[in-house]
Amino acid sequence: MDKNLEILRRAVARWQSKDGPAGPALDAKDLQAVYDVSLGETGGDITELEHAINHYLDYSPDSSHPEFFKLLYSGVNEPAVLGDWVTALANATMHTYQVGPVATLMELELIRQWNALIGFKDGEGVMVSGGSQANMLGLMLARHRAAPELKNCGFATLSKPPVLVAYTSDQSHYSYQRAVNILGVGQDNLVKVASNDAGEIYPQALEEAIKADIKLGKRPFFLGLTAGTTVSGAYDDIKACSDVAKGHDVWLHIDGAWGGPALFSPTHKQLLSNSELADSFAWDAHKLMNVPITAGAILVKQSGQLKDACAGGGGEYLFHQDANAEFNLGERSIQCGRRADALKVWLSWKARGHRGFAEKIDHLQAMKARCVGLIGEHPELEMLAPAPWLNVLFRNRPAGDHSEEELAKLNQDICRRIKQDGGPYVDYARYKGRLGIRLIIANELTSEAHLQKLINLIMERQRK
């Protein structure tokens, strides 16, 4: 163990002294030519293992870099990193209190705090791998309420199985498409409701879609709203959509994996006004709470629903009805072995407190506003969507007439050139038929100087 700790110490020092670009420039085939990752019959010694670790660090994107603008997370949360190391050391699992006692109490406290932020007074929850699993569990909960017989019988055994229909906006996360496949609902029964220019779902279009399906004899059962869409950061109108959902007995789920932490900030929590009207809520701590991947949660307004929908089996050897039975979180989960991710989240929350996360959100929103201002100062740059959250979607549009195809190629090339030159790590995305540069501001160390540097590089690459 001592040798491994020395390797870890050197790896940390190597990572902290890294003085390069936020993102690697090597494509997959180029990296394969540089480093051989093949495995063989004979083992390697500890020197070879450290050599592999060094390569891993050298060629990985630096997500802690203040110019890492590509994904919905960035920066370093040191208490959470410490928690991740200790979690691996203890190697607890979370199906019963017996094998994860402290982690269980920590997770229950995290669930209580998340529910309080959302407004679920008597709720429950469980930690999951991330927003994709949380969204799937939201669908599973909704399916169980709409057709509880499916848990035991399945669709095939029913003489007249219900045609269940789920609804999300056309800007929702792709995890819903995978979830309806897994749950047997089918992708043809996932309705993507139109959104407005800001990326927010149209409540009237939702109402019309539900009524049309009811006329066809189908059973609307689930509505997934988004708090912070992946591309533009839009927030759906919870109150208006809740009125529609409740009017048709449809489960209301909010995907707050990215935008949920707005609730920490007294200044910005209005983005999620009426969040308490939801039945369930997805939260990713590995995004804006910045703990190491992965750590998510599904939060539920009414206690007992997770066990009703998920539990089954394990009573003969695992879930003993003893003094700690009510603390066995495994029956709320679809997982058996589950990592104790609560420690890293709890430590970071303990270190920062609610106020620390609120200050982070307020700072990032201020940087976002300044970035939008910098874009507005350039006549050849244009915003492609409003920026209510920390996504800034814009493009370079030189003077003159240009087709959408020409503009798309130009902005793709700009991103590619910046990457090749070792500049900030930024990417592009399509939004309502137009391609633009998608900038995510998630690192507290990002300053106006970093944003100005990126804008300057975009203008320089456009002229080449």
Side-chain angles (χ1 to χ4, degrees):
M1 185 67 78
D2 288 344
K3 289 182 179 179
N4 290 327
L5 287 173
E6 279 300 306
I7 290 175
L8 177 60
R9 183 190 62 77
R10 289 193 293 270
V12 171
R14 187 185 190 93
W15 183 256
Q16 289 181 326
S17 64
K18 199 173 181 181
D19 187 24
L26 289 182
D27 290 329
K29 290 183 179 179
D30 295 327
L31 184 55
Q32 284 178 322
V34 171
Y35 186 62
D36 180 10
V37 297
S38 61
L39 300 171
E41 291 294 327
T42 58
D45 60 23
I46 197 165
T47 302
E48 291 177 87
L49 299 185
E50 183 168 10
H51 181 65
I53 288 170
N54 290 340
H55 272 80
Y56 184 94
L57 295 174
D58 291 345
Y59 291 105
S60 289
D62 185 357
S63 61
S64 65
H65 200 293
E67 295 176 359
F68 184 86
F69 299 125
K70 177 178 170 60
L71 299 176
L72 304 181
Y73 69 93
S74 181
V76 175
N77 181 335
E78 291 188 4
V81 172
L82 176 62
D84 215 28
W85 294 343
V86 174
T87 297
L89 182 66
N91 201 30
T93 187
M94 295 299 295
H95 45 52
T96 63
Y97 170 85
Q98 198 172 40
V99 287
V102 179
T104 295
L105 297 184
M106 287 179 168
E107 181 165 332
L108 288 169
E109 174 62 8
L110 292 171
I111 297 300
R112 188 179 74 82
Q113 294 291 346
W114 276 319
N115 277 330
L117 287 170
I118 297 163
F120 292 168
K121 295 181 180 179
D122 300 305
E124 65 174 359
V126 70
M127 292 191 69
V128 296
S129 61
S132 292
Q133 189 182 134
N135 288 340
M136 185 182 73
L137 282 170
L139 275 156
M140 189 173 174
L141 289 161
R143 190 191 69 174
H144 188 66
R145 189 181 72 171
E149 67 275 14
L150 292 177
K151 180 178 180 180
N152 293 321
C153 299
F155 286 99
T157 60
L158 301 179
S159 57
K160 190 176 180 181
V163 179
L164 300 176
V165 186
Y167 306 83
T168 64
S169 89
D170 58 13
Q171 298 301 309
S172 65
H173 193 259
Y174 69 83
S175 59
Y176 286 117
Q177 293 171 262
R178 301 186 178 186
V180 293
N181 176 21
I182 293 168
L183 294 172
V185 172
Q187 294 188 7
D188 289 346
N189 294 316
L190 176 64
V191 177
K192 295 293 189 74
V193 180
S195 60
N196 60 23
D197 289 343
E200 305 157 346
I201 193 171
Y202 278 117
Q204 184 58 40
L206 172 65
E207 176 80 43
E208 292 170 0
I210 290 175
K211 287 181 175 178
D213 284 328
I214 291 173
K215 284 185 178 180
L216 293 173
K218 299 179 179 180
R219 169 69 165 93
F221 81 108
F222 174 89
L223 169 60
L225 300 183
T226 308
T229 56
T230 305
V231 175
S232 69
Y235 283 74
D236 290 329
D237 186 331
I238 297 171
K239 179 61 170 66
C241 293
S242 174
D243 291 343
V244 175
K246 302 310 177 188
H248 297 285
D249 192 27
V250 170
W251 182 280
L252 177 59
H253 174 78
I254 297 175
D255 177 2
W258 168 229
L263 290 168
F264 279 116
S265 168
T267 305
H268 299 289
K269 67 181 182 180
Q270 80 279 355
L271 289 167
L272 267 159
S273 294
N274 302 300
S275 57
E276 73 280 358
L277 298 176
D279 295 297
S280 56
F281 195 106
W283 188 298
D284 267 359
H286 61 241
K287 289 189 169 71
L288 269 179
M289 292 182 78
N290 197 211
V291 306
I293 292 174
T294 62
I298 174 73
L299 294 315
V300 186
K301 180 185 287 185
Q302 184 177 329
S303 293
Q305 291 182 316
L306 277 168
K307 183 176 179 179
D308 286 347
C310 297
E316 297 83 0
Y317 71 97
L318 188 60
F319 301 116
H320 302 311
Q321 295 306 304
D322 56 19
N324 298 313
E326 65 179 292
F327 293 90
N328 293 337
L329 299 179
E331 292 189 289
R332 302 182 186 183
S333 175
I334 61 172
Q335 297 174 249
C336 180
R338 183 166 65 88
R339 195 170 187 270
D341 289 320
L343 176 59
K344 59 188 176 186
V345 184
W346 190 94
L347 284 177
S348 65
W349 205 326
K350 184 69 173 178
R352 298 197 67 140
H354 287 56
R355 186 177 299 173
F357 285 116
E359 290 170 352
K360 174 179 181 176
I361 297 302
D362 292 346
H363 168 73
L364 292 175
Q365 280 282 60
M367 287 298 98
K368 180 278 308 278
R370 185 62 195 123
C371 183
V372 173
L374 291 172
I375 291 167
E377 294 171 8
H378 285 269
E380 292 188 340
L381 297 178
E382 66 173 350
M383 294 288 293
L384 294 184
W389 194 222
L390 304 172
N391 315 46
V392 183
L393 185 67
F394 66 106
R395 70 178 176 183
N396 186 290
R397 186 186 180 103
D401 294 328
H402 305 278
S403 68
E404 286 298 327
E405 292 77 12
E406 290 171 333
L407 291 172
K409 185 178 185 306
L410 170 64
N411 285 274
Q412 281 179 301
D413 286 345
I414 288 172
C415 291
R416 177 179 54 79
R417 290 170 189 158
I418 290 174
K419 177 184 174 184
Q420 288 178 338
D421 294 345
Y425 201 12
V426 68
D427 208 350
Y428 57 87
R430 288 193 178 274
Y431 179 73
K432 295 187 177 291
R434 298 187 296 178
L435 185 143
I437 298 168
R438 189 189 72 147
L439 172 68
I440 303 297
I441 301 174
N443 191 332
E444 291 171 276
L445 298 181
T446 298
S447 67
E448 182 177 340
H450 295 117
L451 298 171
Q452 184 67 71
K453 174 184 173 181
L454 175 63
I455 298 298
N456 292 343
L457 286 171
I458 288 170
M459 301 308 298
E460 290 172 11
R461 298 309 180 273
Q462 176 255 315
R463 296 186 183 99
K464 287 188 177 181

